[in-house]
Short mmCIF file of all heavy atoms in Angstrom, two decimals:
data_model
loop_
_atom_site.label_atom_id
_atom_site.label_comp_id
_atom_site.label_asym_id
_atom_site.label_seq_id
_atom_site.Cartn_x
_atom_site.Cartn_y
_atom_site.Cartn_z
N TYR A 1 50.78 28.93 140.52
CA TYR A 1 51.79 29.98 140.49
C TYR A 1 51.68 30.86 141.74
O TYR A 1 52.70 31.24 142.35
CB TYR A 1 51.64 30.83 139.23
CG TYR A 1 51.80 30.06 137.95
CD1 TYR A 1 50.70 29.61 137.23
CD2 TYR A 1 53.07 29.73 137.47
CE1 TYR A 1 50.84 28.89 136.06
CE2 TYR A 1 53.23 29.00 136.30
CZ TYR A 1 52.11 28.58 135.60
OH TYR A 1 52.26 27.85 134.44
N LEU A 2 50.45 31.17 142.12
CA LEU A 2 50.24 31.97 143.33
C LEU A 2 50.68 31.21 144.58
O LEU A 2 51.21 31.80 145.53
CB LEU A 2 48.76 32.34 143.46
CG LEU A 2 48.28 33.48 142.56
CD1 LEU A 2 46.77 33.64 142.68
CD2 LEU A 2 48.98 34.77 142.91
N LYS A 3 50.46 29.90 144.58
CA LYS A 3 50.88 29.08 145.72
C LYS A 3 52.39 29.16 145.90
O LYS A 3 52.89 29.37 147.00
CB LYS A 3 50.43 27.64 145.52
CG LYS A 3 50.91 26.67 146.59
CD LYS A 3 50.32 26.99 147.96
CE LYS A 3 48.86 26.66 148.05
NZ LYS A 3 48.35 26.80 149.44
N VAL A 4 53.14 29.03 144.80
CA VAL A 4 54.60 29.11 144.87
C VAL A 4 55.03 30.50 145.34
O VAL A 4 55.91 30.63 146.20
CB VAL A 4 55.23 28.78 143.50
CG1 VAL A 4 56.72 29.09 143.50
CG2 VAL A 4 55.01 27.31 143.16
N LYS A 5 54.43 31.52 144.79
CA LYS A 5 54.78 32.89 145.20
C LYS A 5 54.54 33.11 146.69
O LYS A 5 55.40 33.66 147.40
CB LYS A 5 53.95 33.89 144.38
CG LYS A 5 54.21 35.34 144.77
CD LYS A 5 53.31 36.29 143.97
CE LYS A 5 53.53 37.74 144.41
NZ LYS A 5 52.68 38.68 143.64
N GLY A 6 53.38 32.66 147.17
CA GLY A 6 53.06 32.85 148.58
C GLY A 6 54.00 32.11 149.50
O GLY A 6 54.43 32.64 150.53
N LEU A 7 54.35 30.88 149.14
CA LEU A 7 55.26 30.09 149.98
C LEU A 7 56.66 30.70 149.98
O LEU A 7 57.32 30.75 151.02
CB LEU A 7 55.31 28.65 149.49
CG LEU A 7 54.04 27.82 149.73
CD1 LEU A 7 54.13 26.48 149.03
CD2 LEU A 7 53.79 27.62 151.23
N GLU A 8 57.11 31.16 148.81
CA GLU A 8 58.43 31.78 148.75
C GLU A 8 58.48 33.05 149.58
O GLU A 8 59.48 33.34 150.25
CB GLU A 8 58.79 32.09 147.30
CG GLU A 8 60.24 32.54 147.14
CD GLU A 8 60.58 32.93 145.72
OE1 GLU A 8 59.69 33.38 144.99
OE2 GLU A 8 61.76 32.81 145.37
N GLN A 9 57.40 33.82 149.58
CA GLN A 9 57.34 35.04 150.39
C GLN A 9 57.41 34.73 151.88
O GLN A 9 57.79 35.59 152.67
CB GLN A 9 56.05 35.81 150.07
CG GLN A 9 56.08 36.50 148.71
CD GLN A 9 54.76 37.17 148.37
OE1 GLN A 9 53.70 36.78 148.86
NE2 GLN A 9 54.80 38.19 147.54
N ARG A 10 57.06 33.49 152.23
CA ARG A 10 57.13 33.08 153.64
C ARG A 10 58.44 32.34 153.91
O ARG A 10 58.58 31.63 154.89
CB ARG A 10 55.93 32.21 153.97
CG ARG A 10 54.63 32.97 153.81
CD ARG A 10 53.42 32.09 153.95
NE ARG A 10 53.23 31.64 155.33
CZ ARG A 10 52.18 30.95 155.74
NH1 ARG A 10 51.24 30.63 154.88
NH2 ARG A 10 52.07 30.58 157.00
N ASN A 11 59.40 32.52 152.99
CA ASN A 11 60.76 31.97 153.15
C ASN A 11 60.80 30.44 153.17
O ASN A 11 61.69 29.85 153.80
CB ASN A 11 61.42 32.53 154.42
CG ASN A 11 61.60 34.04 154.37
OD1 ASN A 11 62.01 34.58 153.36
ND2 ASN A 11 61.26 34.71 155.46
N VAL A 12 59.86 29.82 152.48
CA VAL A 12 59.92 28.37 152.30
C VAL A 12 60.85 28.08 151.13
O VAL A 12 60.74 28.71 150.08
CB VAL A 12 58.52 27.78 152.02
CG1 VAL A 12 58.60 26.27 151.83
CG2 VAL A 12 57.56 28.12 153.16
N SER A 13 61.78 27.17 151.30
CA SER A 13 62.77 26.89 150.27
C SER A 13 62.14 26.22 149.05
O SER A 13 61.08 25.59 149.14
CB SER A 13 63.86 25.98 150.82
OG SER A 13 63.36 24.67 151.06
N ILE A 14 62.81 26.37 147.90
CA ILE A 14 62.35 25.74 146.66
C ILE A 14 62.27 24.23 146.85
O ILE A 14 61.34 23.57 146.38
CB ILE A 14 63.29 26.08 145.49
CG1 ILE A 14 63.24 27.58 145.18
CG2 ILE A 14 62.94 25.26 144.25
CD1 ILE A 14 61.90 28.08 144.69
N GLU A 15 63.22 23.68 147.57
CA GLU A 15 63.24 22.24 147.83
C GLU A 15 61.98 21.80 148.57
O GLU A 15 61.35 20.79 148.22
CB GLU A 15 64.48 21.87 148.64
CG GLU A 15 64.60 20.39 148.96
CD GLU A 15 65.81 20.07 149.82
OE1 GLU A 15 66.48 21.01 150.29
OE2 GLU A 15 66.08 18.87 150.02
N LYS A 16 61.61 22.55 149.60
CA LYS A 16 60.41 22.19 150.37
C LYS A 16 59.14 22.39 149.55
O LYS A 16 58.23 21.56 149.62
CB LYS A 16 60.35 23.02 151.65
CG LYS A 16 61.33 22.59 152.73
CD LYS A 16 61.12 23.39 154.00
CE LYS A 16 62.06 22.91 155.11
NZ LYS A 16 61.87 23.68 156.36
N ILE A 17 59.08 23.49 148.80
CA ILE A 17 57.90 23.73 147.98
C ILE A 17 57.70 22.59 146.99
O ILE A 17 56.58 22.10 146.80
CB ILE A 17 58.01 25.08 147.23
CG1 ILE A 17 58.08 26.25 148.22
CG2 ILE A 17 56.81 25.26 146.29
CD1 ILE A 17 58.36 27.59 147.57
N ALA A 18 58.79 22.15 146.38
CA ALA A 18 58.72 21.04 145.42
C ALA A 18 58.20 19.78 146.10
O ALA A 18 57.36 19.06 145.55
CB ALA A 18 60.10 20.79 144.81
N ASP A 19 58.68 19.53 147.30
CA ASP A 19 58.24 18.34 148.04
C ASP A 19 56.76 18.44 148.39
O ASP A 19 56.00 17.49 148.20
CB ASP A 19 59.09 18.20 149.31
CG ASP A 19 58.69 16.99 150.14
OD1 ASP A 19 58.58 15.89 149.57
OD2 ASP A 19 58.47 17.15 151.37
N TRP A 20 56.34 19.58 148.86
CA TRP A 20 54.94 19.77 149.26
C TRP A 20 53.99 19.66 148.08
O TRP A 20 52.88 19.14 148.20
CB TRP A 20 54.75 21.13 149.93
CG TRP A 20 55.51 21.30 151.21
CD1 TRP A 20 56.35 20.39 151.81
CD2 TRP A 20 55.53 22.46 152.05
NE1 TRP A 20 56.88 20.92 152.97
CE2 TRP A 20 56.39 22.18 153.14
CE3 TRP A 20 54.91 23.71 151.97
CZ2 TRP A 20 56.65 23.10 154.15
CZ3 TRP A 20 55.17 24.64 152.97
CH2 TRP A 20 56.02 24.33 154.05
N MET A 21 54.43 20.16 146.91
CA MET A 21 53.56 20.19 145.74
C MET A 21 53.70 18.96 144.86
O MET A 21 53.00 18.82 143.85
CB MET A 21 53.82 21.46 144.92
CG MET A 21 53.41 22.74 145.61
SD MET A 21 53.64 24.25 144.62
CE MET A 21 52.45 24.01 143.31
N GLY A 22 54.62 18.07 145.23
CA GLY A 22 54.82 16.87 144.43
C GLY A 22 55.42 17.15 143.07
O GLY A 22 55.08 16.50 142.08
N GLU A 23 56.31 18.16 143.00
CA GLU A 23 56.94 18.56 141.75
C GLU A 23 58.46 18.51 141.89
O GLU A 23 59.00 18.36 142.99
CB GLU A 23 56.53 19.99 141.37
CG GLU A 23 55.07 20.18 141.05
CD GLU A 23 54.70 19.66 139.66
OE1 GLU A 23 55.54 18.98 139.03
OE2 GLU A 23 53.57 19.93 139.21
N THR A 24 59.17 18.66 140.76
CA THR A 24 60.62 18.78 140.80
C THR A 24 60.99 20.22 141.15
O THR A 24 60.18 21.14 140.97
CB THR A 24 61.25 18.42 139.44
OG1 THR A 24 60.81 19.39 138.47
CG2 THR A 24 60.84 17.03 138.99
N GLU A 25 62.21 20.41 141.64
CA GLU A 25 62.67 21.77 141.94
C GLU A 25 62.71 22.61 140.67
O GLU A 25 62.44 23.82 140.70
CB GLU A 25 64.05 21.71 142.60
CG GLU A 25 64.02 21.10 144.01
CD GLU A 25 65.38 21.07 144.66
OE1 GLU A 25 66.16 22.03 144.48
OE2 GLU A 25 65.68 20.08 145.36
N GLY A 26 63.05 21.97 139.53
CA GLY A 26 63.08 22.69 138.26
C GLY A 26 61.71 23.23 137.88
O GLY A 26 61.58 24.35 137.37
N LYS A 27 60.68 22.43 138.12
CA LYS A 27 59.31 22.87 137.82
C LYS A 27 58.89 24.02 138.72
O LYS A 27 58.23 24.98 138.26
CB LYS A 27 58.34 21.69 137.97
CG LYS A 27 56.89 22.03 137.70
CD LYS A 27 56.66 22.58 136.30
CE LYS A 27 56.79 21.51 135.25
NZ LYS A 27 56.38 22.02 133.89
N ILE A 28 59.28 23.99 139.99
CA ILE A 28 58.95 25.09 140.90
C ILE A 28 59.66 26.37 140.47
O ILE A 28 59.08 27.46 140.52
CB ILE A 28 59.33 24.72 142.36
CG1 ILE A 28 58.54 23.49 142.82
CG2 ILE A 28 59.05 25.90 143.29
CD1 ILE A 28 57.03 23.62 142.71
N GLU A 29 60.91 26.25 140.03
CA GLU A 29 61.64 27.41 139.51
C GLU A 29 60.90 27.98 138.29
O GLU A 29 60.82 29.20 138.12
CB GLU A 29 63.06 27.03 139.12
CG GLU A 29 64.00 26.79 140.30
CD GLU A 29 64.44 28.07 141.00
OE1 GLU A 29 64.05 29.17 140.53
OE2 GLU A 29 65.15 27.97 142.01
N GLU A 30 60.38 27.09 137.46
CA GLU A 30 59.62 27.53 136.29
C GLU A 30 58.37 28.28 136.73
O GLU A 30 58.06 29.36 136.19
CB GLU A 30 59.23 26.32 135.44
CG GLU A 30 58.42 26.68 134.20
CD GLU A 30 57.96 25.45 133.44
OE1 GLU A 30 58.74 24.48 133.34
OE2 GLU A 30 56.81 25.46 132.95
N TYR A 31 57.63 27.73 137.69
CA TYR A 31 56.45 28.42 138.21
C TYR A 31 56.82 29.80 138.74
O TYR A 31 56.11 30.79 138.50
CB TYR A 31 55.80 27.61 139.33
CG TYR A 31 55.12 26.32 138.90
CD1 TYR A 31 54.80 25.35 139.85
CD2 TYR A 31 54.79 26.07 137.58
CE1 TYR A 31 54.18 24.16 139.48
CE2 TYR A 31 54.17 24.89 137.21
CZ TYR A 31 53.87 23.94 138.16
OH TYR A 31 53.25 22.76 137.81
N LYS A 32 57.91 29.85 139.47
CA LYS A 32 58.38 31.11 140.07
C LYS A 32 58.68 32.15 138.99
O LYS A 32 58.29 33.32 139.10
CB LYS A 32 59.63 30.82 140.91
CG LYS A 32 60.34 32.03 141.45
CD LYS A 32 61.61 31.59 142.19
CE LYS A 32 62.51 32.77 142.52
NZ LYS A 32 63.76 32.33 143.18
N ASN A 33 59.37 31.74 137.93
CA ASN A 33 59.76 32.66 136.87
C ASN A 33 58.55 33.13 136.07
O ASN A 33 58.46 34.31 135.69
CB ASN A 33 60.78 31.99 135.95
CG ASN A 33 62.10 31.71 136.64
OD1 ASN A 33 62.45 32.37 137.61
ND2 ASN A 33 62.84 30.73 136.15
N VAL A 34 57.61 32.22 135.81
CA VAL A 34 56.40 32.60 135.08
C VAL A 34 55.57 33.58 135.91
O VAL A 34 55.03 34.56 135.39
CB VAL A 34 55.57 31.35 134.71
CG1 VAL A 34 54.22 31.76 134.12
CG2 VAL A 34 56.33 30.49 133.70
N MET A 35 55.49 33.34 137.23
CA MET A 35 54.74 34.23 138.10
C MET A 35 55.34 35.63 138.09
O MET A 35 54.60 36.63 138.14
CB MET A 35 54.74 33.67 139.53
CG MET A 35 53.86 34.44 140.51
SD MET A 35 52.08 34.20 140.27
CE MET A 35 51.57 35.82 139.69
N LYS A 36 56.66 35.73 137.99
CA LYS A 36 57.32 37.05 137.93
C LYS A 36 56.87 37.80 136.69
O LYS A 36 56.56 39.00 136.75
CB LYS A 36 58.85 36.85 137.90
CG LYS A 36 59.66 38.10 137.61
CD LYS A 36 59.52 39.14 138.70
CE LYS A 36 60.53 40.27 138.55
NZ LYS A 36 60.39 41.02 137.27
N ILE A 37 56.79 37.12 135.54
CA ILE A 37 56.33 37.77 134.32
C ILE A 37 54.85 38.12 134.41
O ILE A 37 54.41 39.18 133.94
CB ILE A 37 56.59 36.87 133.09
CG1 ILE A 37 58.09 36.55 132.99
CG2 ILE A 37 56.11 37.56 131.81
CD1 ILE A 37 59.00 37.76 132.91
N MET A 38 54.07 37.26 135.06
CA MET A 38 52.65 37.56 135.27
C MET A 38 52.49 38.83 136.09
O MET A 38 51.64 39.70 135.77
CB MET A 38 51.96 36.40 135.98
CG MET A 38 51.77 35.16 135.12
SD MET A 38 51.06 33.79 136.10
CE MET A 38 50.69 32.60 134.79
N ASP A 39 53.27 38.97 137.14
CA ASP A 39 53.20 40.18 137.96
C ASP A 39 53.65 41.41 137.18
O ASP A 39 53.08 42.50 137.33
CB ASP A 39 54.05 40.01 139.22
CG ASP A 39 53.34 39.23 140.32
OD1 ASP A 39 52.10 39.32 140.39
OD2 ASP A 39 54.01 38.54 141.10
N ASP A 40 54.69 41.27 136.34
CA ASP A 40 55.13 42.39 135.50
C ASP A 40 54.01 42.81 134.55
O ASP A 40 53.79 44.01 134.31
CB ASP A 40 56.35 41.99 134.68
CG ASP A 40 57.61 41.84 135.52
OD1 ASP A 40 57.62 42.34 136.68
OD2 ASP A 40 58.59 41.23 135.05
N TYR A 41 53.30 41.84 134.01
CA TYR A 41 52.17 42.11 133.10
C TYR A 41 51.08 42.89 133.83
O TYR A 41 50.56 43.89 133.31
CB TYR A 41 51.64 40.78 132.58
CG TYR A 41 50.31 40.82 131.87
CD1 TYR A 41 50.23 41.18 130.53
CD2 TYR A 41 49.14 40.44 132.53
CE1 TYR A 41 49.00 41.18 129.87
CE2 TYR A 41 47.91 40.44 131.87
CZ TYR A 41 47.85 40.82 130.54
OH TYR A 41 46.64 40.82 129.89
N LEU A 42 50.71 42.44 135.02
CA LEU A 42 49.67 43.12 135.79
C LEU A 42 50.09 44.55 136.15
O LEU A 42 49.27 45.48 136.10
CB LEU A 42 49.35 42.32 137.06
CG LEU A 42 48.69 40.95 136.85
CD1 LEU A 42 48.51 40.23 138.17
CD2 LEU A 42 47.36 41.08 136.11
N GLU A 43 51.36 44.72 136.48
CA GLU A 43 51.85 46.07 136.80
C GLU A 43 51.82 46.96 135.56
O GLU A 43 51.45 48.13 135.64
CB GLU A 43 53.27 45.98 137.36
CG GLU A 43 53.82 47.33 137.79
CD GLU A 43 55.18 47.23 138.45
OE1 GLU A 43 55.69 46.10 138.61
OE2 GLU A 43 55.74 48.29 138.79
N TYR A 44 52.20 46.40 134.42
CA TYR A 44 52.20 47.15 133.16
C TYR A 44 50.80 47.67 132.84
O TYR A 44 50.63 48.79 132.33
CB TYR A 44 52.71 46.24 132.04
CG TYR A 44 52.52 46.76 130.64
CD1 TYR A 44 53.25 47.85 130.17
CD2 TYR A 44 51.61 46.14 129.77
CE1 TYR A 44 53.07 48.32 128.87
CE2 TYR A 44 51.44 46.61 128.47
CZ TYR A 44 52.17 47.70 128.03
OH TYR A 44 51.99 48.16 126.74
N LEU A 45 49.79 46.88 133.17
CA LEU A 45 48.41 47.27 132.87
C LEU A 45 47.70 47.93 134.05
O LEU A 45 46.50 48.20 134.00
CB LEU A 45 47.61 46.03 132.45
CG LEU A 45 48.06 45.37 131.13
CD1 LEU A 45 47.31 44.07 130.91
CD2 LEU A 45 47.87 46.30 129.96
#
């Protein structure tokens, strides 16, 4: 999840991240969305 977040912050496209990680674009979107909730949780606490 951190890997996806870091790559997205460096303006790497979802398509490229999926290719680099050997995943589907849908799975990368899922990682991205879960990471957003993880960050919200950390901020809440």
Side-chain angles (χ1 to χ4, degrees):
Y1 299 99
L2 283 174
K3 175 65 72 172
V4 170
K5 178 183 178 180
L7 290 172
E8 189 184 29
Q9 287 176 335
R10 298 172 70 174
N11 297 316
V12 180
S13 70
I14 294 296
E15 180 182 8
K16 285 185 177 180
I17 297 173
D19 179 50
W20 296 1
M21 292 183 67
E23 295 283 10
T24 64
E25 292 181 38
K27 179 58 72 172
I28 299 304
E29 287 286 357
E30 179 184 322
Y31 290 164
K32 172 184 169 182
N33 294 335
V34 172
M35 186 73 248
K36 171 65 169 60
I37 302 303
M38 288 176 171
D39 278 330
D40 289 344
Y41 167 82
L42 293 176
E43 183 175 358
Y44 169 69
L45 295 173

